[in-house]
Amino acid sequence: MAHPSIVILTGAGISAESGLGTFRDEGGLWAQHRIEDVATPEGFARNPQLVVDFYNARRAQAAEAVPNAGHIALARLQAEHKGDVLLVTQNVDDLHEKGGSEDVLHMHGALNSALCSACDHRWPAPLEMHVAQACPNCAAPTARPDIVWFGEIPYQMDRIQDALERADIFAAIGTSGNVYPAAGFVQMATHVGAKTVEMNLEPGENVALFEDVRAGKASETVPKWVDEILG
Ligand code: BV8
């Protein structure tokens, strides 16, 4: 295959070496907070202050974080590979962008974006968001973090689906394969005959579905894989 079409899915593991907590590792975010309290629309309705504080803390931490060799290698792949590369991330930090990536598809939203639940307007989030913040477009007090919570529909699913249908290579990096629909992308890629590779510190829940499994830290496995692809 001269210039294979590549779809990449990243998860919290690619940002771990940049100091951002993962969700399900020892002491991870879901050990500190109940998902239903901080990552569901019901939790936000019940206690908006708790949720706003949770994302303010992560936004402040992400603002200080620096990209690692894994992020930088993916940016190099996007810049130098002659075939299509779609970088989909479940992460809400901006380390892919800080590492030089463009056109990053944040399927679970982004800390740096704010959303109005009344008029769907989006704008750059301030470092600190407040409860019942006014929307700059419709002035209603309905600003919320622009994050896809459990039970909400991930963003740009059609675009992801189209890319997976044309994929020659699908790579999952630093994700535990627990959360759908992201964890199902490997099946879609396999269905169209794409080569599938997982790069993870620990095997993901859906590791059995990958033909090539590479254990290790993203800062080591990803640059090596990118070198192979760029030949
Ligand atoms: C939807 C918010 C309908 C942002 C997140 C029962 C069965 C199956 C599915 C469901 C079910 N009940 C409900 C569902 C659906 C549900 C779901 O999947 N639940 C699961 C938990 C059972 N999904 C949804 O609700 C989704 N919406 O389904 O809508 C729909 C779907 C399609 C089309 C139309 C309608 C919405 C899901 C989004 C939820 N929001 N977060 C935030 O706060 O950040 S999900 C949350 O988990 C994060 O966004 C994160 O992206 C995601 C996955 O976590 P990972 O990134 O994988 O991180 P994790 O800690 O788990 O793993 C880290 C990995 O890194 C590990 O493997 C580790 O080994 C590795 N690692 C660590 N260090 C390193 C490393 N790897 C390399 N190097 C290192 N140094």
Side-chain angles (χ1 to χ4, degrees):
M1 180 76 54
H3 306 310
S5 171
I6 305 173
V7 176
I8 300 161
L9 172 72
T10 62
I14 198 168
S15 296
E17 291 164 88
S18 297
L20 297 187
T22 61
F23 292 89
R24 296 168 184 83
D25 286 332
E26 193 68 26
L29 286 167
W30 296 151
Q32 303 157 42
H33 306 272
R34 286 172 358 124
I35 289 182
E36 52 274 27
D37 290 342
V38 295
T40 62
E42 296 77 15
F44 183 62
R46 198 168 45 242
N47 187 344
Q49 190 63 58
L50 178 72
V51 176
V52 164
D53 291 347
F54 175 63
Y55 286 102
N56 283 348
R58 288 178 61 199
R59 191 174 302 110
Q61 208 200 7
E64 300 301 312
V66 295
N68 61 60
H71 298 107
I72 292 164
L74 293 182
R76 184 158 62 87
L77 180 69
Q78 284 180 293
E80 296 177 16
H81 183 58
K82 295 199 176 30
D84 293 337
V85 180
L86 177 64
L87 176 53
V88 182
T89 186
Q90 299 171 93
N91 300 339
V92 293
D93 62 61
D94 61 348
L95 288 174
H96 282 303
E97 291 86 347
K98 285 181 180 171
S101 281
E102 288 168 7
D103 188 22
V104 181
L105 198 163
H106 285 270
M107 68 178 288
H108 289 165
L111 288 167
N112 290 340
S113 175
L115 170 66
C116 173
S117 30
C119 73
D120 260 356
H121 177 63
R122 283 184 172 78
W123 67 97
L127 199 56
E128 285 247 320
M129 288 191 74
H130 301 288
V131 172
Q133 193 165 326
C135 165
N137 179 55
C138 74
T142 46
R144 58 166 274 185
D146 185 11
I147 299 286
V148 176
W149 287 322
F150 285 96
E152 297 187 319
I153 299 176
Y155 294 154
Q156 302 189 57
M157 284 303 294
D158 295 347
R159 187 170 164 219
I160 297 169
Q161 204 111 14
D162 287 350
L164 285 168
E165 276 158 15
R166 287 182 288 105
D168 301 301
I169 296 172
F170 172 71
I173 302 169
T175 179
S176 63
N178 272 294
V179 175
Y180 288 82
F185 292 170
V186 58
Q187 275 115 322
M188 294 161 70
T190 303
H191 183 68
V192 297
K195 286 165 61 95
T196 56
V197 53
E198 185 199 60
M199 288 164 258
N200 228 345
L201 194 59
E202 307 291 333
E205 287 288 305
N206 55 356
V207 66
L209 301 173
F210 287 86
E211 59 188 305
D212 178 1
V213 175
R214 305 183 182 199
K217 292 182 177 176
S219 62
E220 290 156 16
T221 57
V222 179
K224 190 166 172 300
W225 175 69
V226 168
D227 286 345
E228 281 171 29
I229 297 283
L230 294 177

